[in-house]
Amino acid sequence: MGTKHMNLFFPQWQGAGSKELLDCAREIKGKYIKDEYNFIEIPVDDEDVNEVINNIFGYDKILQQLKYANMLVSEHKPNTIFTVGGGCDVELIPVSYLNYKLKGDMSVIWLDAHGDLNTPESSPSKLFHGMPLRALLGDGDEDIVNTAFSKLSTSQLVLIGQRDLDEPEKDYIDEHEIDLISVEEVSLSIDNIIERIKSKGSRNIYIHIDLDVLDLKEFPYVMVPSPNGLKTKVFIDLIYQLKSNFKVVGLSLLEYASSTENEQELLSEIICLGSYI
């Protein structure tokens, strides 16, 4: 019998190539995650990494950790998942699991300044946090792709806020006619965005949040900053509109990099929301 909801702490950092991501994920855990939320932690290796194997930096550790996460989620069989990371690459497990459980009846809303659509071959950095969405679509290193429970189709995707795309990612989005919604479009009318997502035909959604989707001037605490993102108020309005119009089966909070002692109200709000979806 499955658990109704699972809160997952998966501070995988090797995909971003920086242990800062591990430290900042642990900061979130210490500062924002209350005991009552009952998070389950995926253990990650904190040894330094310097090897590129199969065109992926930190390959062995990433593969090992994804396999463990797959096993853990398989044991718990949740109906909904909230994931705090770590890098965007942790999404391979919760997204593919929920997609498998729902037999593909799920739209994936990818809120991110980046596409995360590179393959190991096309990636200029060889960092896996730029590849997870492509891996979820079934492209990439075979062993890593095989840690996923299922494959997404491009028709399930709604990309929101992407403004820093590599040329191969742009080509892929154009070739597969993937829904791409700009910061300007969201800022103009959230209602229109909701209707576009409804046209996908599924009531179930997974909301991926890479914090770099936000306006850098309002929220600079991110791993890979990119200017001209979503205003915080617009972002929060969008999340609550999504929650009221769809069944949120999964949510994530990823790529936090802190340089402040001050508590970020935005993080508290997302964590409270995700912990009880």
Side-chain angles (χ1 to χ4, degrees), residues 101-142:
K101 188 172 181 65
L102 293 163
K103 299 180 172 63
D105 182 14
M106 180 178 87
S107 297
V108 176
I109 318 302
W110 204 264
L111 284 152
D112 204 312
H114 308 91
D116 300 347
L117 282 165
N118 273 302
T119 62
E121 291 70 35
S122 74
S123 168
S125 68
K126 305 306 173 192
L127 295 176
F128 188 56
H129 75 161
M131 310 179 202
L133 191 50
R134 191 65 176 269
L136 280 162
L137 291 160
D139 295 329
D141 177 81
E142 187 178 0

Short mmCIF file of all heavy atoms in Angstrom, two decimals, residues 101-142:
data_model
loop_
_atom_site.label_atom_id
_atom_site.label_comp_id
_atom_site.label_asym_id
_atom_site.label_seq_id
_atom_site.Cartn_x
_atom_site.Cartn_y
_atom_site.Cartn_z
N LYS A 101 3.20 6.29 -12.68
CA LYS A 101 2.03 6.00 -11.85
C LYS A 101 0.74 6.48 -12.50
O LYS A 101 -0.30 5.83 -12.41
CB LYS A 101 2.20 6.65 -10.48
CG LYS A 101 1.14 6.26 -9.46
CD LYS A 101 1.47 6.77 -8.08
CE LYS A 101 0.42 6.35 -7.06
NZ LYS A 101 0.35 4.90 -6.86
N LEU A 102 0.82 7.62 -13.17
CA LEU A 102 -0.36 8.22 -13.81
C LEU A 102 -0.51 7.81 -15.28
O LEU A 102 -1.35 8.36 -15.99
CB LEU A 102 -0.29 9.75 -13.70
CG LEU A 102 -0.41 10.29 -12.26
CD1 LEU A 102 0.08 11.72 -12.18
CD2 LEU A 102 -1.84 10.18 -11.76
N LYS A 103 0.34 6.89 -15.71
CA LYS A 103 0.28 6.37 -17.09
C LYS A 103 0.34 7.49 -18.12
O LYS A 103 -0.37 7.48 -19.15
CB LYS A 103 -0.99 5.52 -17.29
CG LYS A 103 -1.06 4.30 -16.38
CD LYS A 103 -2.33 3.50 -16.64
CE LYS A 103 -2.33 2.19 -15.89
NZ LYS A 103 -2.30 2.33 -14.42
N GLY A 104 1.16 8.48 -17.84
CA GLY A 104 1.36 9.57 -18.80
C GLY A 104 0.33 10.68 -18.73
O GLY A 104 0.41 11.66 -19.48
N ASP A 105 -0.65 10.54 -17.82
CA ASP A 105 -1.69 11.57 -17.70
C ASP A 105 -1.21 12.69 -16.77
O ASP A 105 -1.70 12.87 -15.66
CB ASP A 105 -2.99 10.94 -17.16
CG ASP A 105 -4.13 11.94 -17.06
OD1 ASP A 105 -4.02 13.04 -17.64
OD2 ASP A 105 -5.14 11.62 -16.38
N MET A 106 -0.21 13.44 -17.25
CA MET A 106 0.43 14.46 -16.42
C MET A 106 1.13 15.46 -17.33
O MET A 106 1.83 15.07 -18.27
CB MET A 106 1.44 13.80 -15.48
CG MET A 106 2.20 14.73 -14.57
SD MET A 106 3.32 13.83 -13.45
CE MET A 106 4.82 13.72 -14.46
N SER A 107 0.94 16.74 -17.07
CA SER A 107 1.72 17.78 -17.74
C SER A 107 2.84 18.22 -16.82
O SER A 107 2.66 18.27 -15.60
CB SER A 107 0.84 18.98 -18.10
OG SER A 107 -0.17 18.60 -19.01
N VAL A 108 3.99 18.52 -17.40
CA VAL A 108 5.15 18.92 -16.62
C VAL A 108 5.44 20.40 -16.91
O VAL A 108 5.73 20.78 -18.04
CB VAL A 108 6.38 18.06 -16.97
CG1 VAL A 108 7.62 18.55 -16.21
CG2 VAL A 108 6.10 16.59 -16.65
N ILE A 109 5.32 21.21 -15.85
CA ILE A 109 5.55 22.64 -15.97
C ILE A 109 6.98 22.91 -15.50
O ILE A 109 7.28 22.77 -14.31
CB ILE A 109 4.54 23.44 -15.09
CG1 ILE A 109 3.12 22.86 -15.18
CG2 ILE A 109 4.59 24.92 -15.42
CD1 ILE A 109 2.55 22.82 -16.57
N TRP A 110 7.85 23.28 -16.42
CA TRP A 110 9.28 23.42 -16.12
C TRP A 110 9.64 24.90 -16.00
O TRP A 110 9.91 25.58 -16.98
CB TRP A 110 10.09 22.75 -17.24
CG TRP A 110 11.46 22.30 -16.85
CD1 TRP A 110 12.63 22.98 -17.04
CD2 TRP A 110 11.83 21.05 -16.24
NE1 TRP A 110 13.70 22.24 -16.58
CE2 TRP A 110 13.24 21.05 -16.08
CE3 TRP A 110 11.10 19.94 -15.80
CZ2 TRP A 110 13.94 19.98 -15.52
CZ3 TRP A 110 11.80 18.87 -15.24
CH2 TRP A 110 13.20 18.90 -15.10
N LEU A 111 9.61 25.39 -14.75
CA LEU A 111 9.93 26.79 -14.46
C LEU A 111 11.42 26.91 -14.24
O LEU A 111 11.96 26.45 -13.23
CB LEU A 111 9.17 27.24 -13.20
CG LEU A 111 7.67 27.52 -13.37
CD1 LEU A 111 6.93 27.27 -12.07
CD2 LEU A 111 7.46 28.95 -13.83
N ASP A 112 12.11 27.56 -15.19
CA ASP A 112 13.57 27.50 -15.20
C ASP A 112 14.08 28.54 -16.18
O ASP A 112 13.47 28.76 -17.22
CB ASP A 112 13.98 26.09 -15.67
CG ASP A 112 15.36 25.67 -15.21
OD1 ASP A 112 16.30 26.47 -15.36
OD2 ASP A 112 15.51 24.53 -14.72
N ALA A 113 15.22 29.14 -15.87
CA ALA A 113 15.85 30.05 -16.83
C ALA A 113 16.49 29.27 -17.98
O ALA A 113 16.74 29.82 -19.05
CB ALA A 113 16.91 30.91 -16.14
N HIS A 114 16.71 27.98 -17.74
CA HIS A 114 17.43 27.13 -18.71
C HIS A 114 16.54 26.00 -19.21
O HIS A 114 15.52 25.68 -18.59
CB HIS A 114 18.70 26.59 -18.05
CG HIS A 114 19.54 27.65 -17.43
ND1 HIS A 114 19.40 28.04 -16.10
CD2 HIS A 114 20.50 28.45 -17.96
CE1 HIS A 114 20.25 29.03 -15.84
NE2 HIS A 114 20.92 29.29 -16.94
N GLY A 115 16.96 25.39 -20.30
CA GLY A 115 16.15 24.34 -20.91
C GLY A 115 16.36 22.97 -20.29
O GLY A 115 15.46 22.13 -20.30
N ASP A 116 17.57 22.73 -19.76
CA ASP A 116 17.93 21.41 -19.21
C ASP A 116 17.71 20.31 -20.24
O ASP A 116 17.36 19.18 -19.91
CB ASP A 116 17.14 21.11 -17.92
CG ASP A 116 17.41 22.12 -16.82
OD1 ASP A 116 18.37 22.90 -16.94
OD2 ASP A 116 16.65 22.14 -15.83
N LEU A 117 17.91 20.67 -21.51
CA LEU A 117 17.58 19.77 -22.63
C LEU A 117 18.81 19.31 -23.41
O LEU A 117 18.70 18.81 -24.52
CB LEU A 117 16.62 20.47 -23.59
CG LEU A 117 15.15 20.53 -23.15
CD1 LEU A 117 14.38 21.55 -23.99
CD2 LEU A 117 14.49 19.16 -23.24
N ASN A 118 20.00 19.48 -22.83
CA ASN A 118 21.19 19.00 -23.51
C ASN A 118 21.34 17.49 -23.36
O ASN A 118 20.81 16.89 -22.42
CB ASN A 118 22.44 19.68 -22.93
CG ASN A 118 22.74 21.00 -23.62
OD1 ASN A 118 22.93 21.03 -24.84
ND2 ASN A 118 22.77 22.08 -22.86
N THR A 119 22.06 16.90 -24.28
CA THR A 119 22.53 15.52 -24.13
C THR A 119 23.97 15.59 -23.66
O THR A 119 24.61 16.66 -23.72
CB THR A 119 22.48 14.77 -25.48
OG1 THR A 119 23.37 15.43 -26.40
CG2 THR A 119 21.07 14.73 -26.05
N PRO A 120 24.53 14.47 -23.20
CA PRO A 120 25.95 14.50 -22.81
C PRO A 120 26.85 14.99 -23.95
O PRO A 120 27.85 15.67 -23.71
CB PRO A 120 26.24 13.04 -22.46
CG PRO A 120 24.92 12.51 -21.99
CD PRO A 120 23.90 13.18 -22.87
N GLU A 121 26.47 14.69 -25.19
CA GLU A 121 27.28 15.10 -26.35
C GLU A 121 27.14 16.58 -26.65
O GLU A 121 28.10 17.26 -27.00
CB GLU A 121 26.90 14.28 -27.59
CG GLU A 121 27.28 12.82 -27.53
CD GLU A 121 26.44 12.02 -26.53
OE1 GLU A 121 25.23 12.31 -26.38
OE2 GLU A 121 27.01 11.12 -25.89
N SER A 122 25.91 17.11 -26.52
CA SER A 122 25.68 18.51 -26.89
C SER A 122 26.04 19.49 -25.77
O SER A 122 26.22 20.68 -26.01
CB SER A 122 24.21 18.73 -27.29
OG SER A 122 23.35 18.71 -26.15
N SER A 123 26.16 19.00 -24.56
CA SER A 123 26.39 19.87 -23.41
C SER A 123 27.78 20.52 -23.47
O SER A 123 28.79 19.83 -23.52
CB SER A 123 26.28 19.08 -22.10
OG SER A 123 26.77 19.84 -21.02
N PRO A 124 27.84 21.85 -23.43
CA PRO A 124 29.15 22.51 -23.43
C PRO A 124 29.89 22.34 -22.11
O PRO A 124 31.12 22.34 -22.07
CB PRO A 124 28.82 23.99 -23.69
CG PRO A 124 27.38 24.15 -23.34
CD PRO A 124 26.72 22.82 -23.50
N SER A 125 29.16 22.16 -21.01
CA SER A 125 29.78 22.10 -19.68
C SER A 125 30.00 20.67 -19.18
O SER A 125 30.79 20.45 -18.28
CB SER A 125 28.89 22.81 -18.67
OG SER A 125 27.68 22.09 -18.47
N LYS A 126 29.26 19.71 -19.75
CA LYS A 126 29.25 18.31 -19.27
C LYS A 126 28.67 18.18 -17.87
O LYS A 126 28.88 17.17 -17.19
CB LYS A 126 30.65 17.67 -19.34
CG LYS A 126 31.29 17.75 -20.71
CD LYS A 126 30.41 17.17 -21.81
CE LYS A 126 30.96 17.40 -23.19
NZ LYS A 126 29.98 17.09 -24.26
N LEU A 127 27.93 19.19 -17.44
CA LEU A 127 27.28 19.14 -16.13
C LEU A 127 25.86 18.60 -16.29
O LEU A 127 25.07 19.12 -17.08
CB LEU A 127 27.26 20.54 -15.50
CG LEU A 127 28.63 21.13 -15.16
CD1 LEU A 127 28.49 22.55 -14.64
CD2 LEU A 127 29.38 20.26 -14.15
N PHE A 128 25.53 17.59 -15.50
CA PHE A 128 24.27 16.86 -15.69
C PHE A 128 23.03 17.69 -15.34
O PHE A 128 21.94 17.37 -15.78
CB PHE A 128 24.30 15.55 -14.90
CG PHE A 128 23.14 14.65 -15.18
CD1 PHE A 128 22.84 14.24 -16.47
CD2 PHE A 128 22.31 14.22 -14.15
CE1 PHE A 128 21.76 13.42 -16.74
CE2 PHE A 128 21.22 13.40 -14.40
CZ PHE A 128 20.95 12.99 -15.70
N HIS A 129 23.20 18.77 -14.56
CA HIS A 129 22.01 19.56 -14.24
C HIS A 129 21.49 20.33 -15.46
O HIS A 129 20.42 20.92 -15.39
CB HIS A 129 22.23 20.48 -13.02
CG HIS A 129 23.08 21.69 -13.27
ND1 HIS A 129 23.04 22.79 -12.43
CD2 HIS A 129 23.99 21.99 -14.25
CE1 HIS A 129 23.89 23.72 -12.88
NE2 HIS A 129 24.48 23.25 -13.97
N GLY A 130 22.25 20.29 -16.56
CA GLY A 130 21.75 20.85 -17.82
C GLY A 130 21.16 19.81 -18.75
O GLY A 130 20.84 20.12 -19.91
N MET A 131 20.96 18.58 -18.24
CA MET A 131 20.50 17.48 -19.09
C MET A 131 19.24 16.74 -18.61
O MET A 131 18.73 15.89 -19.35
CB MET A 131 21.61 16.42 -19.21
CG MET A 131 22.96 16.94 -19.61
SD MET A 131 24.18 15.59 -19.69
CE MET A 131 25.71 16.49 -19.50
N PRO A 132 18.69 16.99 -17.41
CA PRO A 132 17.68 16.08 -16.87
C PRO A 132 16.38 16.02 -17.66
O PRO A 132 15.77 14.95 -17.74
CB PRO A 132 17.42 16.60 -15.46
CG PRO A 132 17.83 18.02 -15.48
CD PRO A 132 19.01 18.05 -16.42
N LEU A 133 15.95 17.13 -18.24
CA LEU A 133 14.69 17.09 -18.98
C LEU A 133 14.85 16.25 -20.24
O LEU A 133 13.95 15.49 -20.62
CB LEU A 133 14.21 18.50 -19.31
CG LEU A 133 12.78 18.63 -19.84
CD1 LEU A 133 11.78 17.89 -18.97
CD2 LEU A 133 12.38 20.10 -19.98
N ARG A 134 15.99 16.34 -20.87
CA ARG A 134 16.26 15.51 -22.05
C ARG A 134 16.34 14.03 -21.66
O ARG A 134 15.85 13.15 -22.38
CB ARG A 134 17.56 15.98 -22.71
CG ARG A 134 17.82 15.39 -24.08
CD ARG A 134 16.79 15.83 -25.13
NE ARG A 134 17.17 15.31 -26.44
CZ ARG A 134 17.93 15.96 -27.30
NH1 ARG A 134 18.39 17.18 -27.01
NH2 ARG A 134 18.23 15.41 -28.46
N ALA A 135 16.95 13.77 -20.50
CA ALA A 135 17.01 12.39 -20.01
C ALA A 135 15.61 11.86 -19.71
O ALA A 135 15.31 10.68 -19.98
CB ALA A 135 17.88 12.30 -18.76
N LEU A 136 14.74 12.72 -19.17
CA LEU A 136 13.35 12.32 -18.91
C LEU A 136 12.60 12.00 -20.20
O LEU A 136 11.65 11.23 -20.19
CB LEU A 136 12.62 13.43 -18.14
CG LEU A 136 12.87 13.47 -16.63
CD1 LEU A 136 12.48 14.83 -16.05
CD2 LEU A 136 12.11 12.35 -15.93
N LEU A 137 13.06 12.58 -21.29
CA LEU A 137 12.46 12.30 -22.60
C LEU A 137 13.08 11.05 -23.24
O LEU A 137 12.70 10.64 -24.33
CB LEU A 137 12.63 13.51 -23.53
CG LEU A 137 11.80 14.74 -23.13
CD1 LEU A 137 12.37 16.00 -23.76
CD2 LEU A 137 10.34 14.56 -23.52
N GLY A 138 14.06 10.46 -22.54
CA GLY A 138 14.64 9.20 -23.00
C GLY A 138 15.95 9.32 -23.75
O GLY A 138 16.47 8.32 -24.26
N ASP A 139 16.51 10.54 -23.82
CA ASP A 139 17.76 10.74 -24.57
C ASP A 139 18.91 10.98 -23.59
O ASP A 139 18.78 11.75 -22.65
CB ASP A 139 17.65 11.97 -25.48
CG ASP A 139 16.62 11.77 -26.58
OD1 ASP A 139 16.42 10.62 -27.01
OD2 ASP A 139 16.01 12.78 -27.00
N GLY A 140 20.05 10.34 -23.87
CA GLY A 140 21.22 10.56 -23.02
C GLY A 140 21.90 9.26 -22.69
O GLY A 140 21.73 8.24 -23.38
N ASP A 141 22.68 9.27 -21.65
CA ASP A 141 23.40 8.08 -21.23
C ASP A 141 22.42 6.97 -20.86
O ASP A 141 21.50 7.17 -20.06
CB ASP A 141 24.28 8.42 -20.01
CG ASP A 141 25.00 7.20 -19.49
OD1 ASP A 141 26.04 6.82 -20.06
OD2 ASP A 141 24.51 6.60 -18.51
N GLU A 142 22.63 5.81 -21.43
CA GLU A 142 21.66 4.71 -21.30
C GLU A 142 21.45 4.29 -19.84
O GLU A 142 20.32 4.11 -19.39
CB GLU A 142 22.12 3.50 -22.12
CG GLU A 142 21.09 2.38 -22.15
CD GLU A 142 21.53 1.21 -23.02
OE1 GLU A 142 22.64 1.27 -23.59
OE2 GLU A 142 20.77 0.23 -23.11
#
